[in-house]
Amino acid sequence: MSTEAQQDIIEEFALFDDWMDKYEHLIGLGKNLPLIDEHYKTDQYIIKGCQSKVWLRAEQNEGRVYFSADSDAIITKGIVSVLIRAFSGLSAQDIIDAPTDFINEIGLSDHLSPTRANGLVAMIKQMKLYATAFAAQNNA
Amino acid sequence: MGFDIDKIRADFPILLRQVHNKPLIYFDNAATSQKPKAVIDALVHYYTHLNANIHRGVHALSQEATDAYEQARDGVKTFFNAQFREEIIFTAGTTHSINIVAHGFRSLLNPGDEIIVGQAEHHSNIVPWQMACDLTGAVLKVLPIDDNGQLQLDALQSLLGPKTQLVVVNHVSNALGTINPIEKIIEMAHQAGAKVLIDGAQASSHIQVDVSALNVDFYTTSAHKMCGPTGVGMLYGKKELLELLPPYQGGGEMIKEVYFQGTTYAGLPHKFEAGTPNIAGGIGFGAAIEYLNEIGLDEIAAYEHDLLLYATEELKQVQGLRIYGDVPLKTAVISFNIEGLHPYDVGTLLDQMGIAVRTGQHCAQPVMDFYGIPGTVRASFAFYNTKDEIDTLVKGVKRAVNMLL
């Protein structure tokens, strides 16, 4: 089962008929992504596996996990912003349990090259890792 | 034979395919070239009619396969104008070739000895030497490039000294396409008593290489960059040097006699060809060379140079576009960035338009560090590309810029 936010994303991307509209949308999302605080753009927060650099940070507030991110490439920023929408604001356990097939449904994994697809996988993995760490903290 | 582009394009079946519902425009030739039907047919023919292990069977099939494989070696020898056929070692590719030499030098290097390596090398011509230095106490010295990506020969003069054992540089930079003055480098190194290894992976299908005239000690290449199959390549070495180097891998094929008390090694080239080789690959390599010979490397070079000049001029019309290594002596490679744009974004959008380019560091991180950039977009042309395709690239780049800025 997709989460509510994921359903929204799927419906939003279903509106685009061609790749150009889709990428223009992604680029727009990338440009509007709230930037991660500059002092978090360090090796500690960097995600490996992308040709472009991605910094991803998570914090937990009142039982919900919030992500912030940045990238030096704009399309990557668009993608990470979609992921943030899909996962941010959920509980750590919900993030761990959340399915990821919406990526296929919005046609991103098809349209992204293997190197980039790996980056996408690495981003999701990192988000789930953060959630796992918070869940462990919460249960301690 | 004249240069008939339509006929040549028809030799490459893959050029008919579509990518993202658009005709494929393949501008990633520096990563690997496409394969003509003659090469594909040679592979199919081998597996259909000749498949047998070589150099050991008394049966007819094994002899035929051996003949075909050794004929390929002769073709490679002639193509590079080596003096002796045993100077041509079939390897898995350039990386393997360089590793054979770097590994061999581990037993020849002493602490304090020096290896000079170019600043614009592919990682595969850096790391094996770092490993050799780590194990022997030899020292790696870097021959710097200037702003145009060209090796600084005056710096070479001051780096060369009595401790220099080896100079290792590429013939053509994979990241920039710049052609290095290897004749001069070889001469200077030899005057200082050093040996020279040239990484020819980016040169072999674009520049006629004559290892005898160059007087080079080692020259390496990969078949897959020359219209041949992947997983096969060449190490050329002067006979007396190859004899001096210890074997790289032990196994069958590379031995003369094996006793538990000790083993004697086979002569060249088999000393460096342990195990069952890539027989089909070697035969495909031979077919690729025949194909290139038929068209003629001079014809290919002239046609590709024309593409390079045209693409350079057209791409320069794009506002904010900077070409790295924009010098007269280049193969048909354009490595560029657009001000304010990440190469990855540009490459991703070009891919959506059916245009295959490479983006990133091109396995040459020191070059990117030199320019202080995360990478470049690299369009690399081959003799089966056209100016029409370049027009589409330029339009595509402009479209990507409009979308991204």
Side-chain angles (χ1 to χ4, degrees):
Chain A
M1 265 302 283
S2 304
T3 65
E4 207 174 310
Q6 291 181 4
Q7 273 305 334
D8 285 351
I9 295 168
I10 292 168
E11 279 163 30
E12 183 179 306
F13 273 81
L15 296 173
F16 305 121
D17 309 325
D18 68 4
W19 71 270
M20 222 176 124
D21 292 345
K22 188 184 289 182
Y23 274 86
E24 271 175 346
H25 183 61
L26 270 180
I27 291 163
L29 290 175
K31 285 179 178 165
N32 292 325
L33 180 71
L35 296 181
I36 199 169
D37 218 82
E38 201 61 33
H39 68 272
Y40 292 124
K41 282 166 84 166
T42 60
D43 279 355
Q44 191 189 339
Y45 295 105
I46 211 156
I47 298 181
K48 303 221 159 74
C50 317
Q51 270 195 30
S52 46
K53 286 182 184 159
V54 176
W55 297 269
L56 177 72
R57 193 176 164 270
E59 56 192 344
Q60 190 175 225
N61 199 349
E62 295 179 353
R64 288 171 188 276
V65 180
Y66 298 92
F67 295 102
S68 57
D70 197 1
S71 171
D72 56 351
I74 194 87
I75 296 173
T76 313
K77 268 172 88 167
I79 291 179
V80 83
S81 109
V82 170
L83 294 181
I84 287 178
R85 256 173 71 200
F87 296 113
S88 218
L90 301 177
S91 73
Q93 193 56 48
D94 283 349
I95 293 170
I96 295 168
D97 296 338
T100 55
D101 13 340
F102 76 101
I103 301 288
N104 295 327
E105 291 198 43
I106 61 178
L108 277 186
S109 58
D110 293 353
H111 281 269
L112 297 170
S113 66
T115 35
R116 169 52 78 77
N118 291 340
L120 193 67
V121 170
M123 287 182 225
I124 294 173
K125 196 175 153 200
Q126 191 59 37
M127 287 177 151
K128 294 215 170 208
L129 269 176
Y130 274 124
T132 307
F134 286 129
Q137 253 177 41
N138 300 344
N139 294 332
Chain B
M1 140 185 172
F3 196 89
D4 180 347
I5 184 66
D6 293 330
K7 189 177 169 296
I8 284 168
R9 284 183 69 81
D11 290 337
F12 291 81
I14 206 167
L15 297 178
L16 291 174
R17 71 158 284 183
Q18 302 230 320
V19 170
H20 302 308
N21 299 319
K22 293 160 196 87
L24 165 68
I25 294 180
Y26 187 76
F27 285 159
D28 196 16
N29 293 287
T32 196
S33 62
Q34 294 303 346
K35 318 304 172 200
K37 198 157 177 306
V39 170
I40 300 166
D41 287 349
L43 297 176
V44 172
H45 182 264
Y46 167 73
Y47 281 119
T48 313
H49 299 289
L50 293 180
N51 179 50
N53 212 328
I54 56 171
H55 295 144
R56 44 192 135 214
V58 291
H59 57 82
L61 214 52
S62 171
Q63 303 228 338
E64 284 175 32
T66 305
D67 287 348
Y69 188 71
E70 292 303 328
Q71 262 170 31
R73 196 191 306 274
D74 288 332
V76 175
K77 173 200 168 257
T78 308
F79 188 80
F80 288 98
N81 197 31
Q83 228 178 322
F84 307 103
R85 66 190 313 280
E86 59 267 37
E87 294 179 322
I88 303 295
I89 314 293
F90 277 143
T91 66
T94 304
T95 300
H96 182 201
S97 303
I98 294 171
N99 273 281
I100 290 175
V101 180
H103 178 270
F105 262 87
R106 289 179 188 181
S107 61
L108 303 175
L109 291 168
N110 292 305
D113 280 347
E114 292 170 1
I115 298 174
I116 298 174
V117 59
Q119 191 177 7
E121 297 307 305
H122 190 284
H123 296 158
S124 63
N125 202 24
I126 300 174
V127 183
W129 305 111
Q130 284 177 324
M131 291 161 73
C133 287
D134 282 350
L135 280 163
T136 58
V139 183
L140 203 65
K141 300 256 177 169
V142 180
L143 172 58
I145 50 174
D146 62 19
D147 276 352
N148 289 320
Q150 292 182 302
L151 289 171
Q152 298 183 26
L153 287 191
D154 46 342
L156 176 61
Q157 198 57 64
S158 50
L159 283 172
L160 284 165
K163 290 278 185 189
T164 312
Q165 297 297 331
L166 268 166
V167 176
V168 298
V169 292
N170 56 47
H171 194 166
V172 173
S173 156
N174 77 306
L176 307 172
T178 45
I179 301 172
N180 286 319
I182 58 167
E183 300 82 354
K184 187 81 191 139
I185 291 169
I186 293 165
E187 193 189 318
M188 287 167 77
H190 283 170
Q191 269 169 14
K195 305 296 179 210
V196 180
L197 177 140
I198 301 291
D199 166 3
Q202 294 296 331
S204 309
S205 66
H206 311 286
I207 301 168
Q208 190 83 58
V209 173
D210 181 331
V211 291
S212 296
L214 282 171
N215 192 23
V216 67
D217 301 295
F218 302 99
Y219 196 94
T220 63
T221 199
S222 298
H224 75 93
K225 309 232 195 233
M226 315 172 56
C227 298
T230 51
V232 63
M234 173 198 79
L235 166 63
Y236 160 81
K238 283 183 184 163
K239 202 164 133 184
E240 65 271 22
L241 292 173
L242 289 176
E243 271 161 5
L244 202 64
L245 294 184
Y248 178 55
Q249 289 181 315
E253 191 99 349
M254 54 77 74
I255 44 85
K256 194 162 142 205
E257 289 182 298
V258 177
Y259 301 105
F260 283 111
Q261 293 81 354
T263 288
T264 50
Y265 303 128
L268 296 171
H270 307 294
K271 181 172 110 178
F272 293 106
E273 296 182 355
T276 296
N278 183 350
I279 306 168
I283 290 169
F285 190 3
I289 280 188
E290 257 178 52
Y291 180 79
L292 293 176
N293 281 336
E294 264 171 43
I295 299 172
L297 221 47
D298 289 341
E299 297 260 7
I300 289 174
Y303 180 84
E304 288 179 348
H305 191 66
D306 194 37
L307 289 183
L308 173 71
L309 295 181
Y310 182 72
T312 304
E313 196 176 310
E314 292 298 308
L315 279 170
K316 277 183 178 169
Q317 312 296 322
V318 179
Q319 188 142 24
L321 188 140
R322 175 182 174 186
I323 296 173
Y324 300 91
D326 187 14
V327 293
L329 278 179
K330 272 179 76 170
T331 56
V333 172
I334 301 182
S335 209
F336 66 92
N337 270 325
I338 294 150
E339 208 182 337
L341 298 186
H342 196 283
Y344 195 75
D345 288 329
V346 179
T348 301
L349 295 179
L350 288 175
D351 171 57
Q352 291 296 317
M353 303 176 212
I355 304 168
V357 293
R358 173 90 182 257
T359 62
Q361 301 182 333
H362 318 299
C363 299
Q365 201 180 329
V367 182
M368 303 304 136
D369 291 346
F370 174 79
Y371 286 115
I373 50 176
T376 69
V377 181
R378 184 187 69 186
S380 50
F381 313 115
F383 56 93
Y384 40 77
N385 290 130
T386 66
K387 287 185 183 174
D388 282 349
E389 289 180 314
I390 289 169
D391 289 340
T392 309
L393 169 73
V394 176
K395 270 186 220 146
V397 169
K398 287 179 181 163
R399 199 169 168 197
V401 172
N402 283 336
M403 286 176 75
L404 289 164
L405 277 181

